[in-house]
């Protein structure tokens, strides 16, 4: 393994060595503005996030619930471009020294050009990409370019994934495996559910890669629950909601920093 994905792997290994799960925060680029989104990413790192996923806003985010859709709409109305996503990655990584990934649907990368996107993401210091709608069997071109530039490729597994399918997906991925703990769209939920623990166990049986759980975690209690069985806890909608609910941008930054601190305590598995 080489390049930027090494930082991602090292970060997850360090968390494991500290007997805790890693805290992974998701924020869309360009929300509430490009500069504001960069400040938000820095704020969650300041609060205690280990890894940040920068979302590439999409006009039809099939996997995302209403909170992230609202933020994506704001970003798209503001004219966010792939260059802004890459700038967000660059500045968030440069300020923190921590791994920053891009989470995106496949279509924007395909249109932009795979070679161009992977080269520019690596140059910006990005650790890799989470590609929720790219089928593994259609990912060879992406993986070839990602590997050439030292980028991780994170695939998403779901409770509906059969064991043999899990093995195919995890064999193709790098960095970590994103386990979607509940079927359906992202968003905070009252309980993260037992399906997540079963999915993590089945995924681990197929790979040495860390398994990080997303979809539904919104507070420290849930983070602790998931940290008991997962290598990483991914939180998105809860951060975005704090920003949306804040009376102004400064209050939003304070709110996401505080949430990151609460969640960072939660993933530490202490009794």
């Amino acid at each position: 393994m080489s390049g930027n994905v090494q930082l991602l792997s090292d970060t997850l290994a360090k968390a494991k060595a500290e007997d805790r799960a890693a805290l992974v925060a998701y924020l869309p680029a360009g929300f509430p503005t490009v500069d504001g989104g960069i400040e938000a990413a820095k704020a969650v790192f300041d609060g205690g996030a280990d890894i940040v996923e920068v979302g590439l806003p999409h006009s039809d985010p099939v996997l995302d619930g209403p909170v992230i859709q609202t933020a994506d709409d704001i970003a798209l109305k503001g004219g966010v471009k792939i260059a802004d996503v890459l700038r967000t990655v660059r500045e968030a990584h440069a300020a923190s020294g921590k791994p920053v990934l891009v989470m995106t649907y496949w279509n924007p990368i395909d249109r932009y050009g795979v070679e161009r996107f992977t080269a520019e993401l690596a140059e910006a210091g990005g650790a890799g990409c989470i590609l929720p709608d790219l089928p593994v069997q259609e990912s060879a071109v992406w993986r070839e370019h990602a590997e050439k530039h030292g980028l991780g490729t994170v695939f998403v597994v779901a409770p509906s994934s059969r064991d043999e399918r899990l093995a195919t997906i995890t064999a193709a991925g790098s960095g970590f495996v994103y386990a979607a703990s509940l079927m359906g769209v992202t968003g905070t939920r009252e309980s993260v559910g037992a399906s997540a623990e079963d999915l993590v166990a089945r995924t681990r049986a197929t790979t040495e890669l860390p398994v990080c759980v997303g979809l539904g975690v919104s507070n420290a209690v849930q983070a602790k629950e998931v940290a008991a069985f997962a290598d990483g806890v991914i939180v998105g909608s809860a951060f975005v909601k704090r920003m949306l609910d804040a009376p102004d941008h400064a209050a939003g930054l304070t709110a996401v920093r505080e949430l990151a601190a609460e969640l960072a305590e939660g993933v530490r598995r202490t009794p």
Side-chain angles (χ1 to χ4, degrees):
M1 199 184 335
S2 66
N4 307 8
V5 69
Q6 186 68 53
L7 176 63
L8 179 63
S9 299
D10 291 348
T11 299
L12 287 156
K14 181 173 180 283
K16 187 176 184 180
E18 293 171 2
D19 190 34
R20 65 179 181 87
L23 174 59
V24 186
Y26 167 92
L27 290 162
F31 167 73
T33 61
V34 176
D35 288 344
I38 291 167
E39 289 172 347
K42 291 176 181 177
V44 295
F45 272 140
D46 288 345
D50 298 290
I51 297 161
V52 164
E53 300 173 4
V54 173
L56 196 161
H58 196 270
S59 54
D60 183 26
V62 288
L63 280 178
D64 292 312
V67 171
I68 289 172
Q69 282 187 16
T70 300
D72 277 6
D73 285 347
I74 291 166
L76 290 166
K77 285 191 180 106
V80 69
K81 303 274 191 298
I82 285 183
D84 300 315
V85 177
L86 294 166
R87 186 183 145 216
T88 303
V89 170
R90 176 182 284 105
E91 296 196 20
H93 170 64
S96 64
K98 294 179 180 178
V100 182
L101 297 136
V102 168
M103 186 164 188
T104 179
Y105 296 96
W106 177 244
N107 191 31
I109 293 180
D110 198 30
R111 285 205 312 264
Y112 193 76
V114 178
E115 167 58 25
R116 181 183 173 197
F117 183 84
T118 50
E120 290 180 7
L121 179 57
E123 191 273 324
C129 241
I130 302 163
L131 299 159
D133 68 338
L134 178 64
V136 169
Q137 61 272 23
E138 294 172 26
S139 68
V141 171
W142 162 266
R143 285 187 286 133
E144 177 194 332
H145 288 291
E147 212 167 291
K148 182 168 87 175
H149 293 291
L151 298 171
T153 299
V154 177
F155 287 111
V156 178
V157 297
S160 59
S161 307
R162 297 177 183 274
D163 291 357
E164 59 271 24
R165 174 93 184 121
L166 286 176
T168 304
I169 294 169
T170 59
S174 54
F176 65 89
V177 182
Y178 188 127
S181 66
L182 292 131
M183 298 302 292
V185 300
T186 61
T188 60
R189 288 182 175 79
E190 291 303 306
S191 171
V192 179
S195 64
E197 192 161 1
D198 172 65
L199 177 58
V200 169
R202 291 195 300 120
T203 304
R204 280 213 179 113
T206 70
T207 183
E208 296 293 308
L209 288 173
V211 183
C212 300
V213 170
L215 305 191
V217 176
S218 61
N219 58 46
V221 173
Q222 291 171 340
K224 189 179 289 292
E225 185 189 330
V226 174
F229 59 81
D231 298 297
V233 179
I234 302 168
V235 181
S237 295
F239 282 113
V240 175
K241 190 170 188 315
R242 291 276 179 113
M243 297 281 289
L244 286 168
D245 291 349
D248 56 52
H249 183 56
L253 294 178
T254 299
V256 294
R257 190 180 294 110
E258 287 173 354
L259 178 59
E262 290 163 26
L263 293 165
E265 281 302 305
V267 300
R268 276 171 166 72
R269 298 184 188 149
T270 44

